[in-house]
Amino acid sequence: YIPLLSTLLGAVISLTSSFAITRYTFTLQRNHERKNLFIAFSIEIKTLVKLLEQARIDAVPEVTVVLPPQKEFENLCAIYKANCGKVGLLTAIAASEIVAFYSCALSLSPKDPAGNGGRYDAKNVTACIALGKRIQSTLESMELTDVWDHCK
C-alpha cells in the first residue's frame, strides 16, 4: 500500500500545485488588466472633460456649444469603445459611473452625415462635464494606491 499511497499523494500534490499556480497567474493577469483599465479610463475621461469645458468656454452664446467633428470626437472615446466589455473588471461604483459618463458624452457626438461638428445645448454639455468630474473624484478618492492594493 505504501507505493500506491505515495503515488496518489504525489498526484494530489501535483494537481493542487498546478491548480494554485494557474489560479495565481490568472489573478495576476486580471489585476494587471484592471489597473491598466483604471489608468486608461482616468486619462481619457480627464481629456474629454477638458475638451467639453473648453468647448463650453468658447461658446459665444451660452445656449449652444460647438463640438469637434464626429470622427475626431469619437476618437477621444477610443479606449472606452475598445474596452467597454471590460468595464466590469473595475469596482461596481466606478463601472456604473464610467458607463453613465460615456453614454452622456457619446450622445453629444455630432451626428451630421458629413461628419462636421455640431451645436449642442449647453445644459447637456454641462451635465456631461459634471458627470465626468464626479467620476474623476470617485477615481481619485480610490487613489491609485488603493486600486493597486484592491487588485492584489
Side-chain angles (χ1 to χ4, degrees):
Y1 288 119
I2 292 178
L4 180 62
L5 287 176
S6 64
T7 302
L8 286 175
L9 183 60
V12 168
I13 291 171
S14 176
L15 286 173
T16 304
S17 63
S18 176
F19 174 76
I21 290 170
T22 303
R23 177 82 171 138
Y24 179 73
T25 303
F26 174 77
T27 302
L28 285 178
Q29 288 173 339
R30 196 91 189 234
N31 291 339
H32 183 70
E33 188 172 16
R34 183 181 295 137
K35 289 177 232 175
N36 288 340
L37 283 173
F38 174 84
I39 293 166
F41 283 132
S42 296
I43 292 168
E44 188 171 72
I45 289 169
K46 284 180 185 179
T47 303
L48 282 165
V49 167
K50 285 181 183 180
L51 174 113
L52 292 172
E53 284 178 327
Q54 190 58 47
R56 189 181 61 189
I57 290 168
D58 291 345
V60 178
E62 289 284 324
V63 181
T64 60
V65 175
V66 178
L67 294 174
Q70 183 173 4
K71 192 139 189 106
E72 185 180 323
F73 189 82
E74 288 182 358
N75 285 342
L76 293 170
C77 299
I79 292 171
Y80 177 73
K81 286 185 171 197
N83 295 291
C84 63
K86 297 178 183 175
V87 173
L89 291 174
L90 303 173
T91 64
I93 293 169
S96 66
E97 289 190 359
I98 285 170
V99 170
F101 171 75
Y102 280 103
S103 294
C104 180
L106 290 170
S107 74
L108 296 174
S109 176
K111 301 295 188 262
D112 181 3
N116 298 321
R119 294 186 176 276
Y120 293 89
D121 185 347
K123 290 178 184 176
N124 293 343
V125 174
T126 302
C128 229
I129 291 169
L131 263 174
K133 287 189 173 192
R134 188 176 78 209
I135 292 166
Q136 286 176 330
S137 153
T138 299
L139 295 177
E140 287 168 7
S141 71
M142 294 168 80
E143 291 188 23
L144 203 49
T145 54
D146 291 344
V147 172
W148 299 118
D149 291 342
H150 174 71
C151 292
K152 287 182 181 175

